[in-house]
Amino acid sequence: MPSIEDLPFEILSEILSIATQLNSTETPSYTYGLTQARKTLQRTQTQIYLRGRTTPDALRWDLVNSFRLVNSRWHQWALGYAMKEMYIRKWSGGERWLYKSTEEQIRSSAAAGVFPVVYQHPYTSVKSTVSLLRDYPHIAQHVRRVWFNGIYQFDTSRYIFDVLGNCTNLRTAAIPWTSLRYGTEEDWKNLMSFPQLTSIEFLAVDLKDSLLSADVNHTDNNVLPSLDFSRITRLKIFGDSNLSPITDDDLITISRTATSLQEIHITSSTSITIKGLAALVSASRTSLKLLEYKPLSDSGFTHPSSVESHPQIHICALLSSCPKLEDLAITLPTACSELFSDHSVAWHETIRLRIAGSGVCRFPTLDANIAEFSKLLESARELLAKKKNGLGVEISVGKFLFDTKTRLVHGNYKIAKTVSEMGWGPLEQVSLKGPYGATGLYGDEDVKGEWSAISEEEFWEGMRWGFVKFDG
């Protein structure tokens, strides 16, 4: 009699996928813990509490763990499902655990209301993962994406490459930025040799003073010049750091071999300017499909640095010459109508442009030259009229957002009307946008509040009278 094992693997896989989805409705997706255990003579009562959602990798394992017991075929499918993504993090350490070596100790502890304090090493789970993947390489072959968190020190970076070195079928590696400094040439060349690896993410954070003061954490093995990024199609750099951040010089070095990038994401960084970004874009001009560049400055997202890093870089023409570029969200020191001059661009949906300060290319005093900015808006509208594919262009300057399609300027005009003693009273419409487009209002405190939209003509009138300004 035919059985489920006679089905082709593709059909069996679909059945197991459906069973996994059904299991997800019954498997707890939250983790629970105990409040701090009582010490001797302490009267605090221990209670159970909700800690948070079960991590995705742990939840996937819970969903398919029972499948592994059926037979080897199901076991391999379950491993592939559960191990495709791994989230490896440093634990907080210093937890209090209920000691369970003998029933007698459990009874005595419960009777006394005291849980013995046991230190949990913060890297225990990390080291266990290293041992698992080293001792069972067939498990490591199922890993497609690895994400590391909390492993930033020089003496612990070894764990990162011990994990990565066994995952030869890896597609995406999301690793701390310090790995670029601490890894050896052998470590990195081994990683970059993986045939399926196409996406690398560098995640940066600020470190504590105790870590900054350690000389060993300032180590830099300078491996970038020897690496080949030609097979990498997606590069992401997220966050900022007070220790050895990724800089323009690093991106220029990467750009020498990064000629096949399809996606570039650079967000929340203060150490990368247009100079480094332009090097990457130039190297992958013919393959680039998505570009996101949203840097930070000391004043926050809505006030990116207005310092142009290199006077000879005219990235407007460079961006418009990328034949496959579809998605664009970028912050520029200055901008001009040349950005929208090529009507053959492949852009679609909404293009988001932030201009730092009040400059346009070759016209640095925007406040005194409204006509030049109007020319930029008109060139964008000419592109929209030519494309007719639902394309939209939003241009943010300071605390205001220009929607070129509707000819409306979104912003908070309460202070401007007060300053004008209500002599300037534009016709306002309800706005659902914020400093970051449709994502609304968040970030800098000084831009929070009610936003409304007025016409461009009324906005320029308010600017001529000095009631509204891009800066300040």
Side-chain angles (χ1 to χ4, degrees):
M1 178 180 295
S3 70
I4 191 173
E5 291 304 310
D6 297 322
L7 294 173
F9 181 77
E10 292 78 8
I11 297 178
L12 175 63
S13 178
E14 182 65 22
I15 293 174
L16 294 178
S17 297
I18 295 173
T20 301
Q21 294 175 7
L22 294 175
N23 283 346
S24 66
T25 62
E26 301 177 358
T27 302
S29 58
Y30 289 87
T31 58
Y32 299 88
L34 297 176
T35 55
Q36 188 173 26
R38 281 185 287 177
K39 298 179 180 179
T40 306
L41 302 179
Q42 197 176 43
R43 296 183 178 276
T44 305
Q45 184 176 1
T46 302
Q47 297 178 339
I48 191 171
Y49 68 99
L50 185 67
R51 292 182 57 188
R53 284 191 176 275
T54 305
T55 56
D57 50 351
L59 182 59
R60 283 196 304 273
W61 182 266
D62 293 339
L63 295 179
V64 300
N65 189 29
S66 60
F67 296 175
R68 298 188 306 111
L69 307 178
V70 177
N71 55 43
S72 60
R73 196 183 186 197
W74 289 34
H75 172 74
Q76 291 300 321
W77 185 92
L79 281 181
Y81 181 89
M83 301 297 293
K84 60 183 178 182
E85 295 185 13
M86 295 187 65
Y87 296 80
I88 302 174
R89 58 186 63 78
K90 168 192 171 185
W91 200 244
S92 57
E95 294 83 4
R96 306 181 188 279
W97 295 80
L98 177 60
Y99 189 56
K100 297 183 178 180
S101 61
T102 66
E103 292 184 5
E104 182 179 352
Q105 288 173 325
I106 294 175
R107 287 196 298 269
S108 63
S109 296
V114 177
F115 294 160
V117 176
V118 180
Y119 176 73
Q120 177 75 357
H121 194 281
Y123 293 97
T124 296
S125 61
V126 178
K127 292 191 288 187
S128 297
T129 303
V130 172
S131 299
L132 173 69
L133 299 180
R134 182 188 62 236
D135 297 340
Y136 301 95
H138 67 282
I139 294 180
Q141 298 304 303
H142 291 287
V143 179
R144 299 294 183 267
R145 184 179 190 273
V146 179
W147 177 83
F148 294 91
N149 183 28
I151 310 176
Y152 308 128
Q153 303 180 60
F154 176 80
D155 58 348
T156 58
S157 63
R158 183 73 258 156
Y159 299 138
I160 294 175
F161 292 100
D162 286 343
V163 169
L164 295 175
N166 294 284
C167 303
T168 55
N169 282 328
L170 198 65
R171 270 67 165 172
T172 300
I175 57 181
W177 81 108
T178 50
S179 301
L180 196 59
R181 313 301 184 195
Y182 302 155
T184 65
E185 185 174 334
E186 181 182 358
D187 291 330
W188 272 101
K189 285 191 174 181
N190 179 52
L191 175 62
M192 301 298 283
S193 69
F194 295 166
Q196 306 296 331
L197 180 65
T198 57
S199 175
I200 294 181
E201 303 176 13
F202 293 108
L203 311 178
V205 297
D206 280 333
L207 299 183
K208 297 184 295 185
D209 291 340
S210 59
L211 298 180
L212 291 176
S213 61
D215 292 338
V216 70
N217 287 335
H218 292 266
T219 301
D220 187 353
N221 289 325
N222 194 29
V223 299
L224 268 181
S226 64
L227 300 183
D228 183 3
F229 285 81
S230 60
R231 285 188 295 156
I232 302 301
T233 61
R234 180 176 181 269
L235 179 64
K236 178 176 180 179
I237 301 172
F238 180 84
D240 199 36
S241 178
N242 51 8
L243 174 66
S244 302
I246 296 176
T247 64
D248 288 341
D249 290 339
D250 296 320
L251 296 192
I252 292 172
T253 302
I254 292 175
S255 68
R256 294 170 184 170
T257 56
T259 56
S260 304
L261 292 176
Q262 296 179 15
E263 297 184 20
I264 299 174
H265 305 259
I266 301 176
T267 308
S268 303
S269 172
T270 62
S271 57
I272 296 175
T273 70
I274 286 295
K275 181 180 180 180
L277 179 71
L280 284 181
V281 174
S282 297
S284 298
R285 186 185 68 83
T286 58
S287 61
L288 191 62
K289 294 182 179 180
L290 184 151
L291 176 59
E292 180 184 32
Y293 175 59
K294 298 178 180 178
L296 275 176
S297 73
D298 293 338
S299 302
F301 272 105
T302 52
H303 301 277
S305 175
S306 60
V307 178
E308 190 164 5
S309 57
H310 199 293
Q312 296 180 358
I313 296 176
H314 190 203
I315 200 170
C316 294
L318 177 60
L319 293 175
S320 63
S321 68
C322 296
K324 297 182 180 179
L325 184 61
E326 298 177 348
D327 297 318
L328 179 62
I330 190 170
T331 301
L332 298 177
T334 58
C336 70
S337 57
E338 194 168 351
L339 178 62
F340 306 107
S341 61
D342 189 346
H343 295 174
S344 65
V345 292
W347 301 347
H348 66 81
E349 296 184 356
T350 301
I351 302 302
R352 292 182 171 87
L353 168 65
R354 286 194 305 153
I355 303 177
S358 59
V360 292
C361 294
R362 309 185 187 94
F363 299 95
T365 56
L366 179 60
D367 287 331
N369 200 342
I370 295 175
E372 293 301 333
F373 192 78
S374 297
K375 185 184 297 184
L376 176 68
L377 297 174
E378 287 302 325
S379 65
R381 281 189 272 267
E382 291 176 6
L383 174 63
L384 299 183
K386 183 71 174 180
K387 299 301 289 184
K388 297 180 179 180
N389 60 349
L391 178 67
V393 176
E394 293 180 352
I395 303 177
S396 298
V397 185
K399 303 175 184 178
F400 303 99
L401 185 148
F402 291 76
D403 188 339
T404 57
K405 185 177 293 186
T406 62
R407 295 177 180 267
L408 295 176
V409 186
H410 299 256
N412 189 334
Y413 300 103
K414 287 184 176 180
I415 296 178
K417 290 190 294 184
T418 301
V419 170
S420 71
E421 297 181 347
M422 306 311 291
W424 176 68
L427 180 62
E428 297 179 82
Q429 304 179 27
V430 176
S431 171
L432 299 179
K433 298 182 182 295
Y436 316 96
T439 54
L441 295 161
Y442 66 94
D444 299 323
E445 291 296 329
D446 60 345
V447 299
K448 289 186 176 180
E450 268 188 53
W451 265 40
S452 59
I454 64 176
S455 67
E456 289 180 10
E457 291 77 9
E458 290 177 307
F459 182 86
W460 297 132
E461 180 185 2
M463 180 167 283
R464 290 188 182 96
W465 284 100
F467 301 140
V468 293
K469 297 179 181 179
F470 284 142
D471 299 323

